[in-house]
Amino acid sequence: MKNSRFAKVIALLLALVMLVAMTACGNNAQGNDDTTPTPATDATPTPGIDLTEGGKYMDYEGAGGIDDYRLQAFDFKSNEITLLSAADGVGDPAKFDALRDVYNIKCELVTTTVFDISTRYIAMYMGDEAPDVARFGLPISMINKGYFSGWEEYINFDLGLWKDIKSSVDNLWFRGHIYTIFNTPARWDNVCWYNKDLFEEAGVKTPTEYYEEGNWTWDTFRECALAMHTDSDGDGIPEIWGCDVEPIMFIWTTGLDYISMNKDGTFTNNIMSDEIARGITFYTEMVNSDGVVYDGSDTGAMFGAGKIALMSANCWIRTFFPDLLKQDSVAIVPYPKDPKADKYYLGEGFMAYNLSAKASNPEGAAAFVCAQRYHQLMLEHDAEAKAEREALSISEQVDTYGWPNYMDDFVFGEMRSDKFTPVLDVSGAFDFNTNFSAALWFRPLMGEPWATIASEIDPMIDELMADLLEE
């Protein structure tokens, strides 16, 4: 079991690297990498009405007729910005010149690799050729050294453009600044998939039924897994595994990440908390006591073959089972709620673009970020495009977009509603899994008490945080 779990973690890490590359420079999970915002067809200014409110907004009506989504106006130092991205193969820069139709700003893309981006940025910065925008996420040590400025100096996050994701934006404050921002919070790695056909054949209550009645919790997740686990001949090789689990599910839904970022510029090490202990313990019991958790590294293929009934996994795993999607044989729900938590929490990634402290056109950089957000809203509120998607059969939707439209709507609508409280995924900025995956995922399964493990790694995490926070 130990070796297969290790292989699974490695596979997940590789997949995450690929995901970062796929989402670079404004690409989005809805399958459209052209981030040029298109003004609404009814955007002709009304004579005699100052749509700019004294220069506060751009001189046309809001996105898709939604007045709250009007674009903030800026005074630019030039009509060009430079973006440094670590993603290779992002395509023609003209495709994501997101500013040209509204702000008349041209975006020049400079690409490098994940491994070289820090070196490239510092060289450009020291040579007085700093890009206006860089895509790092949360480069803590570089922030401490003064390489980046806060977006809030130029962007008014109280405007309607940001209101739908205000709780997520508020999580980004650090030392009085917002050093990183994206066009939308990413919660698509908080999904549970299940095989509807298998549940129907077994006559087992589905996760969707539990969710819709407000009772989708760790406990009902466990009940589903136990009820669906099938080993008819008792040989220890199940015909159907009850579930596969990404253990982070039992961490984020407590309301915590392993490390929390505080607005005062500090970080909190949560490893000794009751919440983390509860999550680790629940996961360990499901694996060791229940014996219903699949322990291989080929989860996507096994689920696609009908060998796993229920699993928590990122949305990208759908590429392993397009036929099941076309047959409408699978469904999704959010991660289950921690039954002891005060709220329904979901983890989210929301860190992408950084503003260079030496940006030659910081207002243009701010316009780039606003245009990215605007484009995302246009995608979400484009009634004509939605009608075109809905006109397709489910099979055609899967071929075109990777999954059915209702799943896209669920992830980008329901899962970002006020029903959920966001937990910012901060531990990734500390390479947490690289440093502590064995302690988190393997040692508890081998019988070591979590309290002992937590006490051992607690000072190691403190030291890691101190090193990164050093000026």
Side-chain angles (χ1 to χ4, degrees):
M1 179 184 291
K2 184 175 181 180
N3 290 336
S4 60
R5 282 283 168 192
F6 181 76
K8 186 174 180 182
V9 171
I10 295 299
L12 177 59
L13 291 175
L14 291 174
L16 290 175
V17 171
M18 291 175 63
L19 184 62
V20 170
M22 289 168 61
T23 58
C25 205
N27 202 8
N28 60 77
Q30 293 175 309
N32 186 336
D33 64 356
D34 181 354
T35 55
T36 303
T38 303
T41 56
D42 59 350
T44 303
T46 304
I49 298 178
D50 180 13
L51 297 176
T52 73
E53 291 190 10
K56 184 177 179 180
Y57 298 104
M58 297 296 290
D59 190 15
Y60 74 101
E61 293 188 36
I66 302 173
D67 189 62
D68 282 341
Y69 297 154
R70 290 177 295 176
L71 275 165
Q72 182 179 345
F74 300 94
D75 292 324
F76 302 120
K77 291 182 171 59
S78 74
N79 67 342
E80 295 181 351
I81 66 166
T82 302
L83 166 66
L84 176 66
S85 173
D88 296 319
V90 293
D92 182 358
K95 284 189 175 182
F96 47 79
D97 241 354
L99 316 176
R100 64 175 176 248
D101 288 349
V102 179
Y103 289 116
N104 195 30
I105 296 282
K106 181 179 180 181
C107 174
E108 177 189 357
L109 174 68
V110 178
T111 58
T112 182
T113 67
V114 173
F115 307 102
D116 294 334
I117 186 170
S118 296
T119 302
R120 181 71 178 274
Y121 179 85
I122 292 172
M124 294 174 72
Y125 190 94
M126 294 303 182
D128 292 325
E129 296 179 347
D132 297 287
V133 184
R135 182 165 179 159
F136 280 100
L138 189 67
I140 298 167
S141 61
M142 297 177 74
I143 289 172
N144 290 334
K145 291 179 173 61
Y147 284 111
F148 298 106
S149 296
W151 286 112
E152 82 293 336
E153 296 179 30
Y154 301 95
I155 299 174
N156 184 352
F157 288 107
D158 290 326
L159 297 183
L161 192 68
W162 305 95
K163 73 172 186 178
D164 287 350
I165 56 173
K166 193 63 168 60
S167 61
S168 296
V169 172
D170 287 344
N171 276 347
L172 297 175
W173 286 97
F174 178 66
R175 295 181 182 172
H177 299 288
I178 293 179
Y179 285 106
T180 183
I181 194 70
F182 193 37
N183 59 4
T184 189
R187 297 184 188 174
W188 45 76
D189 50 358
N190 288 245
V191 173
C192 289
W193 296 83
Y194 70 94
N195 188 311
K196 293 195 294 185
D197 293 346
L198 293 179
F199 271 80
E200 183 178 351
E201 290 169 8
V204 174
K205 188 173 181 177
T206 68
T208 296
E209 292 175 302
Y210 281 117
Y211 178 71
E212 290 178 347
E213 70 182 25
N215 190 29
W216 179 233
T217 68
W218 293 2
D219 295 329
T220 51
F221 178 96
R222 189 178 197 171
E223 289 174 17
C224 286
L226 287 165
M228 291 302 302
H229 193 74
T230 307
D231 183 7
S232 301
D233 55 12
D235 65 354
I237 304 175
E239 292 84 23
I240 300 172
W241 286 86
C243 68
D244 181 77
V245 176
E246 296 300 338
I248 194 65
M249 179 173 80
F250 298 123
I251 303 301
W252 285 340
T253 49
T254 68
L256 295 177
D257 191 14
Y258 300 111
I259 296 173
S260 298
M261 184 172 74
N262 306 312
K263 294 182 180 181
D264 64 1
T266 62
F267 289 86
T268 300
N269 173 5
N270 296 318
I271 207 68
M272 295 292 291
S273 68
D274 291 340
E275 289 86 351
I276 302 296
R278 184 167 68 250
I280 294 288
T281 300
F282 195 92
Y283 168 70
T284 303
E285 289 175 353
M286 282 200 69
V287 175
N288 287 347
S289 300
D290 299 344
V292 296
V293 181
Y294 181 64
D295 65 352
S297 60
D298 56 344
T299 302
M302 285 288 284
F303 183 85
K307 300 297 184 182
I308 299 174
L310 168 66
M311 66 177 178
S312 59
N314 197 296
C315 290
W316 63 263
I317 207 167
R318 66 185 184 268
T319 59
F320 284 94
F321 43 86
D323 289 341
L324 289 180
L325 289 165
K326 291 178 180 181
Q327 296 161 14
D328 198 23
S329 295
V330 295
I332 57 174
V333 290
Y335 277 176
K337 181 183 182 296
D338 174 2
K340 294 186 178 180
D342 59 338
K343 298 177 182 178
Y344 200 151
Y345 294 99
L346 289 181
E348 68 177 21
F350 195 31
M351 300 180 288
Y353 301 120
N354 313 102
L355 174 63
S356 173
K358 285 188 177 181
S360 60
N361 189 7
E363 294 84 4
F368 169 82
V369 169
C370 289
Q372 292 289 305
R373 175 65 188 152
Y374 171 75
H375 175 70
Q376 179 65 31
L377 291 171
M378 288 294 288
L379 289 175
E380 295 172 8
H381 296 283
D382 189 337
E384 183 177 344
K386 184 175 179 62
E388 290 177 359
R389 293 197 306 269
E390 292 299 332
L392 301 174
S393 67
I394 287 183
S395 181
E396 290 171 330
Q397 291 169 20
V398 174
D399 284 336
T400 305
Y401 302 108
W403 59 359
N405 296 332
Y406 70 86
M407 289 188 177
D408 193 84
D409 292 340
F410 189 84
V411 171
F412 286 89
E414 172 77 5
M415 286 180 59
R416 291 188 313 178
S417 69
D418 293 340
K419 184 181 298 186
F420 305 99
T421 299
V423 176
L424 186 65
D425 178 8
V426 175
S427 58
F430 291 86
D431 290 327
F432 200 87
N433 277 332
T434 301
N435 289 290
F436 303 108
S437 61
L440 295 171
W441 310 137
F442 305 133
R443 289 171 59 184
L445 298 180
M446 297 300 106
E448 289 189 62
W450 171 246
T452 301
I453 299 169
S455 297
E456 176 187 323
I457 66 176
D458 178 58
M460 298 166 63
I461 297 170
D462 286 340
E463 183 178 355
L464 175 65
M465 292 193 303
D467 288 344
L468 280 177
L469 286 170
E470 260 184 29
E471 297 266 345

